[in-house]
Amino acid sequence: MTASKPLLHVEQLSAVSPAGWQALVSATFSMTEGECVAVIGPNGSGKSSLLKAITGEYLATQGTLTIAGMPVSKMSPQQKAKMIAVVAQNDHVDSRLSVREYVSLGRVPHTFCCCQDRHERVVSQALDELNLTYKSARKMGSLSGGEQQRAHIARAFAQEPQLLLLDEPTNHLDPLARLELLELVRRKGIASIAVLHDLPLVAPFADKVVLMSQQSVVMCDTASVIMQNEYINPIFGLQVLTFNHPQKSRPIYHFEAASHSFYTSHGAA
């Protein structure tokens, strides 16, 4: 069997922010269609910068970055908008928009490509998938933080991208809603990269894990490889405890503070 060609290929990519500071250093990883990738690392390790380098918001200074074999640097804004959907940490929304109007913004890149009936069907499906149909007439400003986050995901689904970038998508959600949201993203079948801070969510979601430190990718592998003390402890200062799931044939990872002081060994912040 031949290996699938990567949808996204990142090779020795370095990037700078619009202000000129070094945001990413020699990052390398790839993913295929339909794969879910979790990006983990401490605060300031470059996780969000990696997503911004992929979209072109941060300027690549060296390396290779292609989506479906096409260099991102050569894509037009419309091409990128059709291929990449982004749910940022702090999406600012006009509070006067109804939920349906906001989710419909995901169809803007496809304005002249589809008939109106197609647009309406895709938006209705996205609202249904995120359990927002009954609130579709509500104003965005009236929603709770968790409901707004679901609306952001629905807007991204309505965009019908090939690649979905999620920067801390479980913010504002309760524990059950976090698991349900990530499972929904998995079932959707879109190649997805999610920055996750909640480490127990990583293994159930991710086909691959990108581990970052100091603005660079330390390694990219499966959760079963990366969620081990030899990789997690030096970067997070955590001890990994592994248990067999009592009902499913997969491990459960539990994280505790290491016996030594992480802050002492790494210097006070």
Side-chain angles (χ1 to χ4, degrees), residues 87-259:
V87 177
Q89 286 188 45
N90 299 299
D91 278 330
H92 300 290
V93 181
D94 187 334
S95 61
R96 298 168 296 180
L97 290 173
S98 72
V99 174
R100 188 176 188 90
E101 288 170 337
Y102 174 69
V103 174
S104 296
L105 293 177
R107 301 303 300 163
V108 170
H110 306 279
T111 299
F112 301 109
C113 305
C114 304
C115 65
Q116 188 61 33
D117 284 348
R118 168 70 177 170
H119 292 314
E120 293 296 331
R121 286 198 302 272
V122 172
V123 170
S124 294
Q125 180 179 342
L127 288 166
D128 185 59
E129 287 173 329
L130 274 299
N131 195 27
L132 289 170
T133 300
Y134 72 107
K135 293 197 174 184
S136 61
R138 292 268 301 272
K139 299 299 182 184
M140 286 293 293
S142 72
L143 300 184
S144 68
E147 289 168 339
Q148 287 195 16
Q149 188 72 345
R150 285 192 279 130
H152 299 327
I153 303 291
R155 187 261 306 153
F157 279 7
Q159 198 170 327
E160 294 188 298
Q162 288 184 258
L163 178 62
L164 176 60
L165 305 181
L166 305 161
D167 198 350
E168 299 185 41
T170 57
N171 278 358
H172 312 297
L173 300 179
D174 60 44
L176 178 59
R178 293 174 187 177
L179 291 168
E180 290 176 339
L181 179 67
L182 292 176
E183 177 57 28
L184 175 60
V185 171
R186 276 196 65 86
R187 291 201 310 269
K188 188 67 175 175
I190 304 170
S192 302
I193 303 177
V195 171
L196 297 176
H197 271 296
D198 196 347
L199 294 180
L201 296 176
V202 170
F205 168 75
D207 300 302
K208 290 180 181 175
V209 180
V210 171
L211 177 62
M212 298 196 68
S213 179
Q214 298 181 341
Q215 289 72 53
S216 188
V217 173
V218 176
M219 66 183 303
C220 176
D221 212 315
T222 62
S224 62
V225 172
I226 289 183
M227 294 302 190
Q228 303 297 329
N229 278 317
E230 62 181 299
Y231 302 116
I232 296 298
N233 184 265
I235 291 177
F236 288 95
L238 294 172
Q239 180 180 3
V240 184
L241 304 177
T242 306
F243 306 92
N244 292 323
H245 195 291
Q247 298 172 327
K248 301 178 181 179
S249 57
R250 64 173 176 82
I252 299 173
Y253 301 100
H254 177 73
F255 305 89
E256 292 188 347
S259 56

Side-chain angles (χ1 to χ4, degrees), residues 22-59:
Q22 191 72 48
L24 197 66
V25 180
S26 299
T28 297
F29 78 101
S30 64
M31 64 187 297
T32 58
E33 291 184 8
E35 276 193 319
C36 290
V37 174
V39 181
I40 63 172
N43 289 337
S45 60
K47 301 183 298 298
S48 297
S49 294
L50 176 62
L51 300 192
K52 291 176 180 179
I54 292 171
T55 64
E57 183 178 347
Y58 282 4
L59 178 66

